[in-house]
Amino acid sequence: MNNLTSIGKKSPAWTREFDSLIRAIGECKSKAEEDSIMTQEVETLKPRLKDPRLDKRFLKELLIRLIYIEMLGHDASWGHVKALQACSETNLITKKVAYLASSLFLDYRSDMIILVVNTLTTDLKSDNFLVVCTALTAICKLISQDLINAVLPGVTALLSHPKELVRKKAVMALHRFQQLDPDHEGALSGTDFDRHFRQALCDKDPSVMSAALCALHEVCSRDSRPFKNLVPSFVSILKQVSEHRLPKAYDYHRTPAPFIQIKLLRILGLLGAADKAASDNMYAVIADSMRRANTGHTIGNAIVYEAVRAITAIYPNPALLQSAAEMISTFLRSSSHNLKYTGIDGLARIVRINPKYATEHQFAVIDCLEDPDETLKKKTLELLCKMTKPTNVEVIVEKMIEYLRTANDDLVKADIVKRVSDLAERFAPDTQWFIDTMNQVFELGGDVVPQQLAHNLMRLIAEGAGEEDESADAELRSQAVQSYLELLARPRLPSILLKVICWVLGEYGTVSGASAASVMDQICAVEDRQTVDDGVRGYMLSALAKLSTHSGTALPSSAEDMLHSATHSRNVNLQQRALEVEALLGGPKQSRVMVLPVDASCEDLEVDPGLPFLNAFVQQATNAGAAPYLTEAQRFSMGVVRPSAAGEAADHTHALRFTAYEKAAAPTPAAPAPLTAIPAGAGISPVKERPVAGMGQPGPAGAAAAAGPQLQLRAASNRRWGPANFELPPAPNPTPAAAPAAASTPAATAASPTASHGHPAEPHVPGKKELLAASLFGDGGASTSRARSRRPGVSSPSKSRPQASTAAGQPAAALALPAQPTAADLLLELDDPTPAASAAPSGSNSTPGADPFGMLGDLAAPMPNQSGPAAAQPSTQPLTSLDDLYGPAPSQAAGSPDLLGGFMSQAQQAHTPSQGYSMGSSAGPNAAANQLGGLDLNGPAGASSKAAASTAAWNAQGSQQPKGIKGAGPMAPRGNAAVEQQSGKKDPFADLFS
């Protein structure tokens, strides 16, 4: 730094001309004044940079003025070569400015970069480390994939440079090369960057290690399998960083190296995904980092959020999930919208593993759903989409449609349309609700609704329920026609919805009881109320033709006017369709019935490619002297046409021919085929199975032929929506034994405040928020608390509510459920069929101010000789085991599961002589598991022997070891641990990290 200061002192100060330029730019009041100044500056700099007698002392100032010209939008390409030439200057400041200007003027795809490669390789070998750092910085900006091999040897040699700044920038340059060729298929073919990154991870300087973490995170995100053996190293580094073993220079608001912690947590989340063995080593250190970072500061909240992401990414652990849910609750209760958004995102990640945690924060989710902030509301709707089930789909879809009404961004509207249609397809309770919901989606979505969604809806209506139930199919089509006739009275409808309406009314317009003439009049009246495009007019003409053919009635005057106007349209497709409809309606009735059959849109069209009905016509023309048909191969042999790609001869080449054309021989006429007698009435034989949909209009069967999931309904009697083999969760049967447990919950206590005084509780009227929460999170709350309006004649499936049975010796009024459910009843109807699961957790977890990491204190394996009342009594709230969910783990013993993954055992084995090597040495990549920057991870000597002696003493006495003693003595209180000790709370990790 002193060298840089001395060099700066020798250089001349900025000229008065440059100072005047900066002042003039700052005082400009319009773009015209700024352009005038820059134009004058261009005229000034061009001759100066071309002058061979230019004073090199002022070169850096001229380059900066050139940067101003380029930055303010004017062309400075005439000075790019001068900036590249200045990179070879010996003055350090001039060299830095030249490299900066070159990286701003050019990118790595420019052909002029080849001019500076030789200068870069020379600067990499410089004795001045500042010149080397400048070259490494420029390499990250200027070198392309084709030029990597020119500078790669010099960069890899700098990984062992004595200056830590040079080593750090060398790692950053290798990271840039990795980004340019991530698959090592081009210039990096055959190179091994992983070895260099592992070596940099063991560097004694934390800045070099931090640069290696950024590179390792990127390569792990592509494929984490080759780096599974680095899990102990990452765990060790994260433990040392969280314990404040790095220098104070890396602290940010008294948080030790927060960005290094965040990068390590992300890497651990990638390495522990779907890997129980790797995740076992991470549980304790992730929990400790999350606990230490819970300071309430913004950077601490960032570490907590990354810890929650890591917990939800690795193999699940119930205790860690509970702690993560407690941390997320503090975000949801915050007044900051940013923290609420973070809390909703974290809760959505936790809900993907276990949905029960959402019910604990239902009122906080409702508050976020009703928040005026649009971004927060959208994130909350994404959370609710992941919580959707058949009992709450109506409430969630209603909220999403309300959000769709106010959304202005097309991308947001398209996302909401996709989500609503998916939920309606999977969880719709009946056909009427499904049709009404899709109508609202098409009406509010408008142009952002994809065409495939419209074709899927038409196909669903055409195919029906899909269970050979004709009555259910007829009911579905009748409801669709009735709702579409009501929609036609609207003053304005989107084009895509009009296409669906016209197609449905054309196919099934008369099934609702309305006359064909009235339906045709309503279709024609749409053009009087709003402007429609030619595509909608084509659908309208097809609908009119179908209705006229199916009912046998003539077109009304309004329909004839529309048809006559379409025959003179400038749109060729619309004009052709109008002429076809006009010719078809003017022809015989039999032709109309064959071309436009009733309810045959989903049937296939069988076509004989030989066209045998034309044999008589062909024979007659041949006898009259017409030329016979020649195949494509015959025409090519005659030089008439080129063969198609499918039938091209194998020996045919596309090379140029230089030989003269030969005289073509006259073709010999083929012998006429004998005339066969054609029976009377022969012609187009109607295929009864699957006739054409009609008029060349894209029917739903053909449009939905693309791959992908399609909408399907089932019969109305026992129909259930959703995927195959989907079953609704059984309704819980409340028992007398579960009634006291349910009454002891906070929700039940809040619902009956006078129960503790012995007086009968007054009936509590649920509030709006409580009813909404019960509809979203309860089991059947939506169906019992709100009734959906239906049209006359439409039946809805009945839903029954189980009644509680009275116990002997107790009044019936105390056990019978009220006819109108209270808020406590609605809130207690959770997904868990076990009644005891909805009770409040015991211990410290039941209070709001409890330590969220209290459950982690019981994760260690029990002592071998436990006795006494505490060991004899079973726990009323057993810790949930993941063995029932994910199968037994082969690495764990059946009798003593170690949820912390053997962290204590690894810590006790850390003093073996085989692991005593330094991190800065070349012992191997796993050296980071022991120390970082000369700091020993293993702790004071003799800790394991003290722990063994303490355990043996308790075993010899034959008594149970106290909960607070697990071998070694507790660590010195600092940070959050000191605060917890003063408040009288237990620090469960004091024993683990002593």
Side-chain angles (χ1 to χ4, degrees):
M1 202 65 188
N2 295 331
N3 296 335
L4 185 61
T5 305
S6 61
I7 293 175
K9 290 181 179 179
K10 295 178 182 179
S11 301
W14 305 116
T15 61
R16 184 174 299 178
E17 184 181 6
F18 178 70
D19 185 68
S20 301
L21 174 66
I22 301 301
R23 291 179 182 274
I25 294 175
E27 295 174 357
C28 287
K29 297 182 179 179
S30 64
K31 179 64 176 175
E33 295 182 19
E34 184 181 281
D35 293 341
S36 176
I37 294 174
M38 288 295 101
T39 303
Q40 183 180 358
E41 185 68 16
V42 168
E43 299 298 330
T44 303
L45 289 183
K46 276 186 177 181
R48 290 191 182 183
L49 290 177
K50 293 180 181 179
D51 189 2
R53 296 174 298 177
L54 175 65
D55 191 354
K56 298 297 182 63
R57 295 177 301 173
F58 300 98
L59 182 58
K60 62 179 183 300
E61 177 183 323
L62 297 179
L63 291 177
I64 294 178
R65 293 164 70 174
L66 196 65
I67 291 175
Y68 269 94
I69 295 175
E70 186 92 8
M71 182 176 59
L72 295 178
H74 293 262
D75 183 27
S77 59
W78 43 269
H80 292 175
V81 176
K82 195 65 178 181
L84 293 176
Q85 293 176 354
C87 294
S88 58
E89 293 293 329
T90 57
N91 184 271
L92 179 60
I93 296 182
T94 304
K95 182 184 290 291
K96 282 180 171 290
V97 174
Y99 276 129
L100 175 62
S102 300
S103 60
L104 292 176
F105 297 156
L106 308 171
D107 63 350
Y108 65 94
R109 292 181 293 269
S110 176
D111 296 334
M112 300 177 63
I113 300 299
I114 192 68
L115 301 176
V116 80
V117 172
N118 189 28
T119 304
L120 288 173
T121 54
T122 303
D123 291 342
L124 290 178
K125 302 176 183 178
S126 175
D127 296 335
N128 190 346
F129 77 97
L130 294 177
V131 175
V132 176
C133 292
T134 304
L136 289 172
T137 304
I139 283 175
C140 297
K141 297 288 186 181
L142 300 177
I143 294 299
S144 63
Q145 181 180 353
D146 299 332
L147 301 176
I148 290 178
N149 290 328
V151 296
L152 182 58
V155 173
T156 54
L158 294 175
L159 293 174
S160 57
H161 196 276
K163 289 291 184 178
E164 63 276 0
L165 182 60
V166 176
R167 298 198 302 271
K168 172 187 174 182
K169 290 186 175 293
V171 173
M172 295 171 62
L174 292 181
H175 185 192
R176 174 57 181 167
F177 296 161
Q178 178 72 25
Q179 292 177 343
L180 293 175
D181 189 9
D183 298 327
H184 290 205
E185 296 178 353
L188 298 181
S189 178
T191 59
D192 184 15
F193 278 7
D194 297 345
R195 176 174 57 87
H196 300 305
F197 293 150
R198 290 170 183 261
Q199 178 184 354
L201 183 65
C202 303
D203 196 282
K204 61 183 179 180
D205 189 80
S207 62
V208 183
M209 180 267 297
S210 176
L213 286 178
C214 297
L216 287 172
H217 174 261
E218 185 163 334
V219 296
C220 286
S221 61
R222 296 179 59 87
D223 186 10
S224 61
R225 290 173 295 179
F227 304 95
K228 295 286 186 179
N229 56 352
L230 288 181
V231 170
S233 299
F234 292 132
V235 169
S236 173
I237 295 173
L238 180 58
K239 186 175 185 298
Q240 295 182 65
V241 172
S242 62
E243 289 179 352
H244 231 128
R245 297 194 182 184
L246 292 186
K248 291 288 185 181
Y250 291 90
D251 289 4
Y252 180 78
H253 288 274
R254 299 183 180 180
T255 302
F259 302 103
I260 295 180
Q261 292 191 53
I262 290 174
K263 191 65 68 176
L264 284 169
L265 288 171
R266 291 180 178 177
I267 294 176
L268 291 179
L270 294 173
L271 296 178
D275 190 345
K276 189 176 187 305
S279 300
D280 287 341
N281 299 325
M282 307 175 186
Y283 292 150
V285 68
I286 292 178
D288 183 62
S289 299
M290 183 168 60
R291 180 179 62 86
R292 293 175 183 271
N294 188 23
T295 58
H297 196 272
T298 302
I299 192 63
N301 294 332
I303 298 177
V304 170
Y305 172 70
E306 290 296 336
V308 171
R309 291 185 59 183
I311 290 172
T312 56
I314 64 177
Y315 193 85
N317 182 279
L320 279 181
L321 288 175
Q322 181 63 33
S323 302
E326 294 293 338
M327 290 294 181
I328 289 299
S329 64
T330 60
F331 292 168
L332 295 175
R333 292 193 300 264
S334 175
S335 58
S336 173
H337 285 82
N338 294 331
L339 288 181
K340 285 184 178 180
Y341 184 92
T342 305
I344 290 294
D345 183 76
L347 185 60
R349 296 175 183 272
I350 298 176
V351 165
R352 285 185 299 184
I353 301 176
N354 195 339
K356 75 171 186 178
Y357 295 104
T359 59
E360 301 176 3
H361 312 289
Q362 47 188 314
F363 288 112
V365 174
I366 296 300
D367 292 338
C368 295
L369 186 62
E370 298 175 352
D371 196 276
D373 188 276
E374 295 295 329
T375 306
L376 181 60
K377 187 183 298 184
K378 182 176 180 295
K379 196 67 178 178
T380 309
L381 289 175
E382 294 178 3
L383 170 63
L384 294 179
C385 287
K386 300 175 182 178
M387 300 164 43
T388 305
K389 50 190 176 181
T391 56
N392 61 5
V393 63
E394 301 178 49
V395 182
I396 293 178
V397 169
E398 181 182 351
K399 292 296 180 181
M400 298 183 72
I401 290 179
E402 290 180 2
Y403 180 78
L404 185 61
R405 295 180 188 275
T406 59
N408 297 321
D409 190 359
D410 289 343
L411 295 178
V412 175
K413 293 173 68 175
D415 182 64
I416 297 298
V417 165
K418 181 179 179 300
R419 293 178 184 274
V420 172
S421 60
D422 181 65
L423 294 180
E425 172 193 353
R426 296 172 56 192
F427 303 110
D430 52 60
T431 58
Q432 182 63 51
W433 181 88
F434 175 78
I435 293 175
D436 293 342
T437 301
M438 296 306 295
N439 290 343
Q440 294 183 57
V441 169
F442 279 91
E443 185 178 0
L444 298 175
D447 296 335
V448 302
V449 179
Q451 292 287 342
Q452 187 63 33
L453 184 59
H455 292 309
N456 290 344
L457 179 59
M458 290 187 289
R459 179 183 178 128
L460 185 146
I461 297 175
E463 294 182 348
E467 291 188 355
E468 303 298 334
D469 191 350
E470 297 297 336
S471 61
D473 298 346
E475 179 185 0
L476 170 65
R477 293 161 186 164
S478 176
Q479 293 172 357
V481 170
Q482 184 65 29
S483 39
Y484 288 151
L485 288 176
E486 295 178 2
L487 285 177
L488 283 180
R490 301 283 181 88
R492 183 173 182 81
L493 292 173
S495 298
I496 190 168
L497 181 57
L498 283 175
K499 293 179 180 179
V500 176
I501 292 175
C502 291
W503 186 88
V504 173
L505 294 181
E507 291 287 339
Y508 313 103
T510 58
V511 298
S512 62
S515 62
S518 62
V519 175
M520 287 189 285
D521 289 336
Q522 289 185 351
I523 293 176
C524 297
V526 173
E527 199 171 13
D528 299 335
R529 289 191 298 268
Q530 70 178 78
T531 303
V532 296
D533 54 12
D534 293 337
V536 176
R537 288 192 182 95
Y539 274 81
M540 296 170 69
L541 292 178
S542 298
L544 295 175
K546 293 177 183 179
L547 288 172
S548 176
T549 302
H550 297 168
S551 61
T553 59
L555 294 178
S557 58
S558 58
E560 291 181 354
D561 295 340
M562 178 186 295
L563 181 60
H564 180 72
S565 175
T567 55
H568 300 83
S569 175
R570 295 184 178 181
N571 189 302
V572 179
N573 294 329
L574 179 62
Q575 184 182 20
Q576 178 182 356
R577 179 166 300 193
L579 293 174
E580 290 175 355
V581 169
E582 189 177 35
L584 187 62
L585 295 180
K589 180 180 180 181
Q590 183 181 3
S591 300
R592 296 199 302 269
V593 173
M594 292 172 59
V595 176
L596 301 175
V598 179
D599 192 14
S601 58
C602 292
E603 297 182 359
D604 295 333
L605 179 65
E606 296 181 4
V607 178
D608 188 355
L611 304 179
F613 59 90
L614 294 176
N615 290 339
F617 175 78
V618 172
Q619 185 66 38
Q620 182 180 0
T622 305
N623 295 337
Y629 173 76
L630 298 177
T631 62
E632 187 178 8
Q634 292 175 343
R635 282 175 283 170
F636 172 68
S637 62
M638 297 170 56
V640 179
V641 295
R642 179 185 177 279
S644 61
E648 187 173 359
D651 57 346
H652 175 69
T653 60
H654 299 281
L656 296 176
R657 298 180 180 180
F658 298 97
T659 58
Y661 289 107
E662 298 179 358
K663 184 178 180 180
T668 58
L675 182 62
T676 58
I678 305 299
I684 302 177
S685 56
V687 181
K688 195 170 184 179
E689 286 81 4
R690 311 188 75 96
V692 68
M695 302 315 302
Q697 175 180 331
Q710 305 294 340
L711 299 175
Q712 286 190 358
L713 292 176
R714 297 186 180 182
S717 57
N718 295 325
R719 176 170 66 249
R720 286 185 179 159
W721 294 69
N725 301 326
F726 175 76
E727 295 294 339
L728 292 175
N733 296 325
T735 59
S744 62
T745 59
T749 306
S752 57
T754 60
S756 60
H757 299 283
H759 301 288
E762 297 180 358
H764 173 69
V765 179
K768 179 180 178 182
K769 184 182 295 186
E770 294 176 349
L771 290 177
L772 181 58
S775 302
L776 293 173
F777 303 92
D779 189 8
S783 59
T784 58
S785 61
R786 58 188 296 270
R788 183 175 61 255
S789 60
R790 306 185 185 278
R791 293 184 175 85
V794 179
S795 60
S796 61
S798 60
K799 301 179 180 180
S800 60
R801 179 182 179 87
Q803 301 294 332
S805 59
T806 59
Q810 295 185 3
L815 294 178
L817 293 176
Q820 190 65 258
T822 62
D825 297 330
L826 295 175
L827 293 177
L828 289 175
E829 292 179 354
L830 304 179
D831 291 338
D832 192 356
T834 307
S838 61
S842 60
S844 60
N845 295 332
S846 61
T847 59
D851 184 10
F853 295 89
M855 296 181 64
L856 296 177
D858 299 330
L859 291 179
M863 299 302 297
N865 296 329
Q866 287 187 350
S867 61
Q873 295 180 358
S875 175
T876 58
Q877 192 76 6
L879 185 63
T880 305
S881 176
L882 286 179
D883 294 340
D884 298 336
L885 299 177
Y886 299 93
S891 61
Q892 286 185 350
S896 58
D898 187 5
L899 296 180
L900 284 180
F903 191 86
M904 291 296 299
S905 60
Q906 291 185 2
Q908 293 173 3
Q909 297 175 4
H911 295 281
T912 56
S914 60
Q915 299 180 359
Y917 50 82
S918 174
M919 199 169 200
S921 64
S922 59
N926 293 331
N930 289 324
Q931 54 180 331
L932 176 65
L935 299 177
D936 191 7
L937 172 64
N938 298 327
S944 58
S945 59
K946 292 181 181 180
S950 176
T951 304
W954 284 104
N955 293 339
Q957 296 178 5
S959 59
Q960 183 182 2
Q961 184 178 0
K963 184 177 180 180
I965 301 178
K966 290 187 175 73
M971 60 190 294
R974 55 184 179 274
N976 293 339
V979 177
E980 293 179 357
Q981 183 174 1
Q982 294 176 3
S983 60
K985 295 181 179 180
K986 171 70 171 62
D987 185 3
F989 291 96
D991 304 331
L992 296 179
F993 302 109
S994 58

